DNA sequence: CAACTCCTAATTTTT
DNA sequence: TTAGGAGTTG
């Protein structure tokens, strides 16, 4: 199977073809010569020394030790002192937020001069690389980037076609076979295993499984390889790339084709990577490909905060940095500027129990501050109420809502707290709950846009499936079957197939009218992007559908659509907007409001809050039973504690879903740094029988369900 | 045959 | 709470 097969460019792509990645910058104004000195003046000697180091360097930056400042200073040093053009710097992060933060700090340090244009996330940068030569992934120009949700739909269709729906896989946790399959495919890609290579890889894995302790189910694995192959075919047919593809194909191309690799590597004189402890094989290989000639990499990371193993990240890459980059220097940043003494000491004690660390001990010059509070509650309701009472008390003392965060292990834990906060009328936000661009109405609107842009391209089939019956046009399973059959018979797009498909008259009429309006709007080049979306929403009856709906959420949905329309004004082409929508998560400016933050521990990494609540520290929940890597859970506990600047409150329940024991980390916190089981005034005042219960005092027969 | 209503079951972490 | 399935209605 050739990677270059199945390419069948169709007409109607002019508008899309206008997209061009911006590579070479025009000549850049010179940066102020003293920019680095000014920046370095705020750094510690260790930070400044790291920032100015010439060769390959690994900065082991503990939590709260000024990692971003150091990274920023390093970039400024390249530009202002070494006079490397900003355009020849590659700087990569994991999140859009981190990238934006870095860009703005660099711009500030350089007096408003341009930050590196190749500063972004692994996925964002790799997407730009792939846009430059999509044929390396057997894609046509203007391919779509599909998000996890779209990808899931593809996998679902493939599984159905292979008769895998409903079948119980042998996997022990087969609650959600679709999800498991999606994860498995993502993992193939994270490990640079191609669809063609997956079958062989799976067989090798099965053969090896006798000796490995990891449970391997041959049946599920083989099924995964088969689904992967068909899934990739489906993506290619739709001219679409999923997140994994963005890194997989450029990385493979750089590994296989040295001319291609050299072409890319020669664009950059210096590389910077944030959160290096969290790279997976694909990201690691991608980054290394750029470094082959000069080896000038500046990697920042903290092995104690490696918490993405389940996504293919491997802590080994940071541990063996000096082997990958000969002559590499290693610098430790151990002075913490974030937390007070007791918090830091507790965090140190928890992480110290992890063996196999590169080793670091954080210290602070701050005062000891408040001890960590550890409170036991009878059940989850009591815990939520207790936390809310405490939040009210601190607010009354003058703490802003935005200075308070509730950080939990698993997203389902947010519910109880949200309800309690709502009841108490405390402004709050669940960070990253459902991203703006992941909302159904936004995705529907964007699907309309896709469909209008290339109505006769099979690339738009997925968009068609999404919106043809939204609002209802009488297209159910049966009608779709007919259209699909007609489309594959005539080898045309689903929309085009409506012309000749034998459908019930009313459904056919509705479909044709829909197609007609789409085409008319799509062909009219006089509209701005925003106008186009607005027109499509009206012509398709989508807006009317929401207006007529008596569902409570339709008001919000209309507002979201309005927001999308105004957001669209900031993009030049549909392509840019769609790429942004696929790779971005939240709306800009979302986190600038005065609200209590609720988020998972993973989302909280890199953030800090004066007041932190850490609920549900119970065995099974945290550490989670689902994670086989106990060390990783411990590192997560370390991340959790080190988010707190002034006050950290841990809590756990004797009863959540069955009786539970407190997390083992609770016992790892030394007595001198914590206060256990304190009862708060607010609770007494309310007179509610919300007595914290010490689990260890429960009769032993209650300890196990 | 489509569309709506009701019911049940299940909830790790995500660029 | 919601997502997805089954069953019922039109």
């Amino acid at each position: 199977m050739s990677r270059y097969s199945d390419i069948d460019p169709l007409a109607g792509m002019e508008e899309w073809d206008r997209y061009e990645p911006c590579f070479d910058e025009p000549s850049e104004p010179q940066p102020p010569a003293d920019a680095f000195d000014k920046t370095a003046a705020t750094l510690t000697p260790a930070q400044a020394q790291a920032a100015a180091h010439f060769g390959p360097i690994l900065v082991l930056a503990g939590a709260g030790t000024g990692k971003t400042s150091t990274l920023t200073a390093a970039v400024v040093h390249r530009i202002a002192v070494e006079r490397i053009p900003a355009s020849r710097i590659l700087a990569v992060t994991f999140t859009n937020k981190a990238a934006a933060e870095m860009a703005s700090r660099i711009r500030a340090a350089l007096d408003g001069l341009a930050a590196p244009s190749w500063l972004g996330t692994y996925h964002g940068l790799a997407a730009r690389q792939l846009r430059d030569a999509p044929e390396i992934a057997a894609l046509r120009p203007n391919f779509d980037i599909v998000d996890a949700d779209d990808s899931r739909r593809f996998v679902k269709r493939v599984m159905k076609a292979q008769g895998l729906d409903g079948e119980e896989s042998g996997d022990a946790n087969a609650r959600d076979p679709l999800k498991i399959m999606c994860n498995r495919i993502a993992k193939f890609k994270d490990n640079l295993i191609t669809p063609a290579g997956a079958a062989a890889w799976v067989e090798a894995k099965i053969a090896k499984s006798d000796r490995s302790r990891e449970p391997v189910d041959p049946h599920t694995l083989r099924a995964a390889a088969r689904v992967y192959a068909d899934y990739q075919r489906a993506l290619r047919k739709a001219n679409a790339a999923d997140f994994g593809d963005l890194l997989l194909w450029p990385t493979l191309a750089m590994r296989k084709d040295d001319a291609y690799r050299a072409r890319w590597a020669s664009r950059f004189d210096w590389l910077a990577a944030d959160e290096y402890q969290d790279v997976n094989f694909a990201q690691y290989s991608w980054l290394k490909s750029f470094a082959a000639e000069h080896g000038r990499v500046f990697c920042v990371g903290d092995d104690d905060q490696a918490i993405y193993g389940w996504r293919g990240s491997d802590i080994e890459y940071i541990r063996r940095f000096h082997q990958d980059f000969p002559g590499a220097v290693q610098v430790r940043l151990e002075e913490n500027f974030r937390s007070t003494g007791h918090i830091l000491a507790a965090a140190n004690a928890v992480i110290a129990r992890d063996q196999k660390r590169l080793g670091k001990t954080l210290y602070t010059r701050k005062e000891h501050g408040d001890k960590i509070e550890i409170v036991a509650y009878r059940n989850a309701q009591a815990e939520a109420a207790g936390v809310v009472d405490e939040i009210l008390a601190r607010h009354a003392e003058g703490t802003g809502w935005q200075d308070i965060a509730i950080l939990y292990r698993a997203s389902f834990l947010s519910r109880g707290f949200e309800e309690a906060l709502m009841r108490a009328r405390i402004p709050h936000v669940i960070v990253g709950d459902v991203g703006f661009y992941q909302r159904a109405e936004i995705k529907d609107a964007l699907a309309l846009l896709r469909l209008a842009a290339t109505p006769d391209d099979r690339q738009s089939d997925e968009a068609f499936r999404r919106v043809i019956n939204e609002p209802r046009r009488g297209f159910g399973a049966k009608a779709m079957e007919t259209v699909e059959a007609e489309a594959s018979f005539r080898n045309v797009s689903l929309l085009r197939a409506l012309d000749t498909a034998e459908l019930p008259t009313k459904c056919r009429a509705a479909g044709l009218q829909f197609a007609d309006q789409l085409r008319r709007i799509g062909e009219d080049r006089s509209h701005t992007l925003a106008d186009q979306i607005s027109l499509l929403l009206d012509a398709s009856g989508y807006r009317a559908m929401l207006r007529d709906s008596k569902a409570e959420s339709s008001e919000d949905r209309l507002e979201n659509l309005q927001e999308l329309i105004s957001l669209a004004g900031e993009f030049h082409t549909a392509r840019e907007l769609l790429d942004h929508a696929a790779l971005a998560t939240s709306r800009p400016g979302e986190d600038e409001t005065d609200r209590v933050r609720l988020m998972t521990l993973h989302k909280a990494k890199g953030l800090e809050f004066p007041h932190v609540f850490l609920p549900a520290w119970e065995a099974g929940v945290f550490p989670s039973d689902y994670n086989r890597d106990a060390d990783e859970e411990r590192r997560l506990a370390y991340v959790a504690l080190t988010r707190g600047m002034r006050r950290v409150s841990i809590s756990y329940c004797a009863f959540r879903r069955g009786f539970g024991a407190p997390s083992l980390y609770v016992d790892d916190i030394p007595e001198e740094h914590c206060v256990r089981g304190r009862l708060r005034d607010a609770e007494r005042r309310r007179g509610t029988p919300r007595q914290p219960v010490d689990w260890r005092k429960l009769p032993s027969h209650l300890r196990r369900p």
Side-chain angles (χ1 to χ4, degrees):
Chain A
M1 177 175 64
S2 159
R3 287 203 283 108
Y4 298 89
S5 62
D6 293 351
I7 301 180
D8 179 23
L10 294 167
M13 307 268 298
E14 305 81 31
E15 197 256 343
W16 302 76
D17 281 333
R18 261 187 266 145
Y19 177 91
E20 271 178 27
C22 49
F23 286 152
D24 294 302
E25 306 287 304
S27 71
E28 293 160 44
Q30 290 299 303
D34 63 341
F36 178 72
D37 292 334
K38 268 207 228 150
T39 310
T42 64
L43 300 181
T44 65
Q47 290 173 333
Q49 182 210 338
H53 184 75
F54 185 86
I57 178 170
L58 174 63
V59 180
L60 284 174
T65 56
K67 171 189 72 134
T68 309
S69 308
T70 309
L71 198 44
T72 303
V75 173
V76 171
H77 190 269
R78 296 327 104 166
I79 296 173
V81 178
E82 293 181 27
R83 301 274 154 178
I84 294 176
S87 59
R88 297 190 56 80
I89 286 173
L90 180 78
V92 62
T93 64
F94 275 89
T95 66
N96 294 304
K97 201 173 173 185
E101 166 79 14
M102 235 176 103
S104 90
R105 289 224 215 166
I106 292 168
R107 239 177 273 120
L110 291 177
D111 258 338
L113 288 188
S117 59
W118 283 84
L119 187 165
T121 63
Y122 282 95
H123 295 275
L125 297 180
R128 278 167 77 179
Q129 192 182 3
L130 194 54
R131 285 250 171 256
D132 177 59
E135 66 276 7
I136 62 166
L139 292 168
R140 291 176 276 132
N142 299 307
F143 60 86
D144 282 316
I145 298 170
V146 297
D147 67 12
D149 189 61
D150 302 322
S151 159
R152 197 182 144 93
R153 293 157 71 102
F154 276 99
V155 174
K156 190 172 186 175
R157 284 222 317 272
V158 170
M159 284 177 76
K160 202 162 221 166
Q162 291 196 4
L164 284 170
D165 54 326
E167 186 198 339
E168 284 303 303
S169 74
D171 212 305
N173 51 356
R175 304 172 306 281
D176 190 347
L178 178 56
K179 189 176 185 180
I180 289 166
M181 189 60 77
C182 290
N183 284 339
R184 213 161 235 142
I185 290 173
K187 223 153 183 180
F188 280 137
K189 293 187 176 183
D190 285 343
N191 287 306
L192 299 183
I193 296 160
T194 62
W201 183 89
V202 160
E203 292 309 323
K205 175 102 180 168
I206 291 167
K208 229 175 30 187
S209 72
D210 302 333
R211 270 170 292 150
S212 83
R213 234 174 303 128
E214 218 185 321
V216 174
D217 175 30
H219 179 70
T220 328
L221 270 181
R222 290 195 179 104
R226 280 196 301 275
V227 172
Y228 181 24
D230 281 358
Y231 165 75
Q232 200 63 30
R233 269 189 277 273
L235 277 183
R236 192 179 303 164
K237 200 164 176 184
N239 199 28
D242 67 12
F243 287 152
D245 288 327
L246 298 178
L247 275 154
L248 171 70
W249 301 108
T251 306
L252 283 184
M254 289 199 288
R255 283 163 66 109
K256 277 196 208 130
D257 180 349
D258 200 58
Y260 176 83
R261 189 201 57 74
R263 187 155 68 78
W264 277 96
S266 65
R267 305 183 66 93
F268 305 105
D269 298 322
W270 187 78
L271 318 170
D274 193 15
E275 309 275 21
Y276 192 70
Q277 76 282 355
D278 282 331
V279 290
N280 62 35
F281 185 55
Q283 291 156 339
Y284 161 83
S285 307
W286 183 80
L287 190 66
K288 242 180 104 184
S289 300
F290 286 95
E293 275 92 20
H294 51 70
R296 293 198 64 194
V297 295
F298 188 99
C299 292
V300 184
D302 181 2
D303 55 321
D304 291 336
Q305 295 185 71
I307 56 173
Y308 280 100
W310 50 275
R311 252 180 56 191
S313 307
D314 195 336
I315 197 166
E316 279 312 307
Y317 301 127
I318 194 170
R319 289 187 178 142
R320 67 162 203 229
F321 184 83
H322 58 282
Q323 290 162 33
D324 288 326
F325 300 98
V329 162
Q330 190 168 288
V331 173
R332 283 183 167 73
L333 303 183
E334 297 179 304
E335 179 174 0
N336 175 294
F337 301 101
R338 178 183 295 157
S339 312
T340 44
H342 285 304
I343 296 174
L344 202 58
N348 277 338
V350 168
I351 197 64
R353 288 175 182 264
D354 181 10
Q355 313 298 322
K356 320 178 283 201
R357 301 168 60 213
L358 289 172
K360 239 183 305 74
T361 306
L362 302 194
Y363 65 94
T364 180
R365 286 187 252 182
K366 285 182 192 284
E367 59 199 3
H368 292 307
D370 289 316
K371 292 186 176 183
I372 289 183
E373 279 178 64
I374 303 174
V375 187
Y377 292 97
R378 182 153 31 85
N379 56 36
Q381 286 75 32
E383 182 184 45
V387 168
V388 164
D389 282 350
E390 185 63 27
I391 288 175
L392 285 170
R394 296 198 195 171
H395 184 68
E397 288 165 11
T399 305
W401 299 124
Q402 82 279 5
D403 289 335
I404 302 171
I406 304 175
L407 312 177
Y408 35 79
R409 176 64 181 88
S411 57
F412 76 88
L413 293 164
S414 69
R415 189 168 314 143
F417 295 98
E418 216 210 346
E419 281 167 16
L421 288 164
M422 207 111 77
R423 230 176 291 125
R425 298 175 187 255
I426 295 175
H428 63 276
V429 57
I430 300 183
V431 176
D433 188 18
V434 182
F436 180 73
Y437 292 105
Q438 271 76 255
R439 292 175 181 283
E441 63 273 21
I442 300 301
K443 299 201 71 165
D444 289 341
L446 294 176
L448 286 170
L449 188 62
R450 277 196 172 92
L451 205 47
T454 56
D456 298 322
D457 192 316
R458 301 222 69 169
Q459 175 167 353
S460 296
D461 282 359
E462 199 56 34
F464 175 90
R465 288 189 191 93
R466 193 171 173 104
V467 292
I468 183 57
N469 212 25
E470 200 76 36
R472 301 280 170 257
R473 292 188 186 85
F475 278 78
K478 187 70 191 180
M480 273 312 292
E481 216 172 277
T482 311
V483 178
E484 299 261 7
E486 179 71 9
S488 67
F489 179 71
R490 287 178 53 210
N491 194 26
V492 293
S493 73
L494 293 176
L495 195 75
R496 186 49 82 188
L498 287 179
D499 295 342
T500 49
E502 287 181 31
L503 295 164
T505 41
K506 65 176 161 79
C507 145
R508 181 158 192 273
L512 284 177
Q513 195 202 351
F514 174 64
D516 191 50
Q517 282 165 328
L518 271 177
R519 288 212 171 82
R520 198 134 24 92
I521 296 169
E523 280 161 15
D524 189 340
R525 292 299 160 80
S526 65
H527 304 306
T528 64
L529 199 52
D531 289 344
Q532 207 177 12
I533 295 171
S534 189
L535 286 168
L536 286 165
L537 287 170
D538 283 329
S540 64
Y542 199 94
R543 266 221 191 90
M545 172 187 76
L546 286 180
R547 258 190 238 110
D548 298 342
S549 155
K550 51 194 175 300
E552 209 185 320
S553 62
S554 36
E555 191 109 344
D556 289 344
R557 299 170 141 228
L558 282 166
E559 271 173 35
N560 287 333
L561 289 172
Q562 212 48 51
E563 174 87 24
L564 175 71
I565 290 165
S566 73
L567 233 42
E570 293 167 29
F571 296 88
H572 302 299
T573 65
R575 181 74 278 151
E576 275 179 34
L577 173 62
L578 292 172
D579 275 8
H580 176 78
L583 294 167
T585 41
S586 62
R587 192 173 358 192
E590 199 175 51
D591 46 32
E592 277 150 29
T593 48
D594 185 22
R595 293 157 182 271
V596 172
R597 302 282 135 83
L598 284 81
M599 70 188 91
T600 63
L601 293 172
H602 284 83
K603 285 226 174 75
K605 192 172 72 155
L607 306 180
E608 60 182 23
F609 306 92
H611 299 255
V612 167
F613 291 90
L614 303 172
W617 279 41
E618 293 139 34
V621 179
F622 188 40
S624 165
D625 279 340
Y626 294 92
N627 192 348
R628 281 191 229 91
D629 186 346
D631 293 333
E632 182 164 291
E633 291 291 308
R634 181 171 290 284
R635 294 193 291 266
L636 201 47
Y638 175 72
V639 169
L641 291 167
T642 51
R643 296 314 93 197
M645 298 162 74
R646 289 184 41 222
R647 293 186 69 177
V648 172
S649 306
I650 294 167
S651 56
Y652 58 92
C653 302
F655 187 90
R656 192 176 302 269
R657 299 157 64 185
F659 285 90
S663 168
L664 71 157
Y665 311 132
V666 165
D667 290 327
D668 292 341
I669 296 176
E671 291 304 326
E672 64 266 35
H673 302 304
C674 67
V675 184
R676 295 181 196 262
R678 194 160 65 81
L679 227 169
R680 293 190 203 85
D681 289 337
E683 288 169 58
R684 287 209 208 92
R685 222 188 303 119
R686 276 168 150 225
T688 42
R690 212 180 285 121
Q691 278 250 323
V693 166
D694 188 340
W695 174 86
R696 279 161 291 197
K697 287 180 188 147
L698 284 175
S700 59
H701 70 275
L702 288 178
R703 292 188 189 184
R704 289 262 148 223

